[in-house]
Amino acid sequence: GNSVTQMEGPVTLSEEAFLTINCTYTATGYPSLFWYVQYPGEGLQLLLKATKADDKGSNKGFEATYRKETTSFHLEKGSVQVSDSAVYFCALSKTGNQFYFGTGTSLTVIP
Amino acid sequence: DSGVTQTPKHLITATGQRVTLRCSPRSGDLSVYWYQQSLDQGLQFLIQYYNGEERAKGNILERFSAQQFPDLHSELNLSSLELGDSALYFCASSLLAEADTQYFGPGTRLTVL
């Protein structure tokens, strides 16, 4: 079946540190891959996406590359800010209407 | 602000009761999705409606049902509530039936006592 596994949190980093949140997926064929972010008390917001192998999604300094050979879509940011504190969800979709989410990784950035 | 609205924001009820959660999609979006977010199971897709018709079904219990009305708003009905139904329920919308971007509402927090 289709599933997403992401690294467990919580993750705590100092401001300006480098961030990596690992995400691997299981799916047949060529799913689209996503990172969503959930700020406290809010719904999920799309952060970035990639629809085919070797695509790189990027937004707000975050990046993730669709790696089919390792079935991974790791989220990275070179220098995190306090405002990046949130829960990050990796997700996949094959059909465009069924989304499979990881369990979320909580990030806290301390000044 | 995603443009998706959900009411109520919080709901507290007792076991065995029935509740209705409401969602209004972004203007122009025809598709509505419902998700349940709980601590032990993460974010689970429940059901999708597109232009009034059920389009896809996920891990939705038989005690739960949903519908989408002609004005495109959607309601999720939860009945015979159990303690384990306590969760955040999110609605999301998209323009198409198969879209790679969904816009999420702020959620309804349901507490079953």
Side-chain angles (χ1 to χ4, degrees), chain A:
Chain A
N2 301 306
S3 66
V4 173
T5 302
Q6 56 181 110
M7 67 184 276
E8 300 216 359
V11 174
T12 302
L13 295 173
S14 297
E15 209 165 19
E16 299 183 4
F18 184 85
L19 168 72
T20 300
I21 300 178
N22 290 338
C23 170
T24 56
Y25 68 89
T26 301
T28 55
Y30 300 91
S32 293
L33 301 174
F34 308 84
W35 277 100
Y36 279 82
V37 58
Q38 184 179 27
Y39 298 103
E42 298 184 13
L44 279 71
Q45 301 174 26
L46 179 65
L47 181 60
L48 54 84
K49 67 182 182 185
T51 57
K52 60 183 188 294
D54 299 325
D55 268 3
K56 178 186 282 188
S58 61
N59 186 26
K60 299 181 182 179
F62 291 89
E63 293 183 339
T65 301
Y66 188 141
R67 301 279 188 208
K68 185 151 181 69
E69 63 276 11
T70 54
T71 62
S72 65
F73 193 56
H74 304 322
L75 182 68
E76 296 182 337
K77 185 174 186 183
S79 175
V80 293
Q81 305 300 313
V82 172
S83 57
D84 293 327
S85 297
V87 181
Y88 293 81
F89 292 87
C90 185
L92 73 82
S93 176
K94 282 196 63 185
T95 61
N97 57 12
Q98 284 233 17
F99 281 68
Y100 299 85
F101 286 83
T103 51
T105 301
S106 174
L107 170 67
T108 300
V109 180
I110 52 178

Side-chain angles (χ1 to χ4, degrees), chain B residues 3 19 24 27 36-37 39 42 46 52 59 88 97 100 103 112-113:
Chain B
V19 297
S24 293
S27 177
Q36 179 192 58
Q37 185 180 36
L39 282 174
L46 296 178
N59 301 323
L88 262 172
D100 65 0
Y103 297 87
V112 182
L113 301 175

